[in-house]
């Protein structure tokens, strides 16, 4: 009986760790963070663009526009994660002994 109790306790611990890992590695967080980082880099490249670079793109600062769009998209992903977090795992209900007549040790 003791083995069953230890096994169920280990399963509960693993479920808790799994839920924590799922929240930690939420795809929205990873995608949003990458878009924000790359958006900052591309925006800086757009701000520092030379006249020759603008002339190649028919006087449209494509790096600036792309960087700003990437920043906005990344921030939307992070806002989505903030407003709709992953649900917390439900605690398992307390269970009595598996077989009547046997007490837990």
């Amino acid at each position: 009986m003791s083995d069953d109790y230890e096994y169920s306790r280990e399963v509960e611990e693993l479920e808790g760790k799994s839920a924590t890992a799922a929240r930690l590695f939420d795809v929205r967080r990873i995608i949003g963070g990458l878009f924000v980082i790359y958006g900052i880099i591309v925006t800086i490249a757009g701000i520092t663009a030379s006249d020759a670079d603008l002339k190649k793109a028919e006087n449209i600062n494509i790096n600036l526009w792309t960087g700003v769009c990437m920043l906005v998209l990344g921030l939307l992903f992070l806002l989505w994660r903030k407003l709709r977090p992953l649900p917390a795992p439900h605690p398992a209900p307390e269970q009595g002994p598996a077989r009547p007549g046997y007490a837990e040790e």
Side-chain angles (χ1 to χ4, degrees):
M1 190 63 187
S2 175
D3 291 335
D4 290 339
Y5 176 73
E6 287 180 27
Y7 177 74
S8 66
R9 192 169 53 96
E10 286 179 23
V11 168
E12 289 175 8
E13 284 180 23
L14 287 175
E15 285 175 347
K17 288 179 183 178
S18 175
T20 301
R23 273 191 241 103
L24 181 64
F25 295 110
D26 187 3
V27 173
R28 299 173 295 179
R29 179 182 191 171
I30 296 168
I31 292 174
L34 286 174
F35 267 102
V36 167
I37 290 169
Y38 291 141
I40 290 170
I41 293 169
V42 175
T43 301
I44 290 172
I47 291 171
T48 60
S50 66
D51 289 336
D53 293 334
L54 292 175
K55 199 174 215 181
K56 286 181 197 176
E58 298 181 11
N59 291 326
I60 298 172
N61 197 342
I62 195 71
N63 283 338
L64 182 64
W65 286 106
T66 303
V68 169
C69 290
M70 289 174 79
L71 274 171
V72 169
L73 182 64
L75 292 173
L76 286 174
F77 267 94
L78 295 175
L79 180 67
W80 177 26
R81 181 184 163 270
K82 179 83 171 166
L83 294 177
R84 293 259 187 175
L86 290 177
H90 300 292
E94 290 295 322
Q95 296 178 358
R99 291 183 251 163
Y102 290 96
E104 290 185 31
E105 295 177 13

